[in-house]
Amino acid sequence: QVQLVESGGGLVQAGGSLRLSCAASGRISRINAMGWYRQAPGKQRELVARITGIGSINYADSMKGRFTISGDFAKNTVFLQMNSLKPEDTAVYYCNADVKDYGFNTVDAWGQGTQVTVSS
């Protein structure tokens, strides 16, 4: 099994910054990609940013220039630096990992989510 643990969420004023962290553990042979998704009340879960093991990165358009994803796959970790936060960024942020386990099975793992609230 693969477990993801997120940290770093909280309450911040508009224009402020937060840094989210996610650590993966368990039967991990290789991490193919890690990323962040978010889900606001009444809305579908959406991609925030994703990084692959070869360093390919993509962002949702509304996050470009404000959010930065980085990863240290040797340590099975991924980070999301969020700057210039807006009230519409309020959501539960979920870490996701695309992993090969020791049996070479592909595992799509999710964290429990961390709440980010941006006040106006």
Side-chain angles (χ1 to χ4, degrees):
Q1 286 199 352
V2 177
Q3 297 83 37
L4 303 180
V5 177
E6 303 117 331
S7 61
L11 173 65
V12 65
Q13 288 188 332
S17 299
L18 284 174
R19 180 177 170 85
L20 304 183
S21 301
C22 174
S25 62
R27 297 174 52 83
I28 299 171
S29 173
R30 184 182 75 243
I31 295 181
N32 296 318
M34 294 185 77
W36 292 92
Y37 291 72
R38 70 185 187 184
Q39 188 166 17
K43 295 187 177 181
Q44 289 188 331
R45 190 172 296 189
E46 63 176 350
L47 172 71
V48 175
R50 188 172 183 269
I51 182 169
T52 71
I54 59 172
S56 176
I57 293 174
N58 63 294
Y59 294 97
D61 287 343
S62 62
M63 288 70 159
K64 289 179 181 178
R66 299 189 301 123
F67 292 6
T68 302
I69 190 171
S70 60
D72 183 349
F73 285 8
K75 297 181 178 179
N76 296 343
T77 56
V78 67
F79 307 94
L80 184 69
Q81 177 66 42
M82 304 186 293
N83 299 326
S84 302
L85 283 161
K86 306 174 182 179
E88 51 264 43
D89 294 318
T90 295
V92 177
Y93 284 70
Y94 295 92
C95 180
N96 172 259
D98 178 352
V99 169
K100 284 286 188 185
D101 67 13
Y102 291 153
F104 299 103
N105 301 302
T106 298
V107 177
D108 184 33
W110 290 90
Q112 79 286 356
T114 185
Q115 177 70 46
V116 171
T117 302
V118 184
S119 63
S120 58

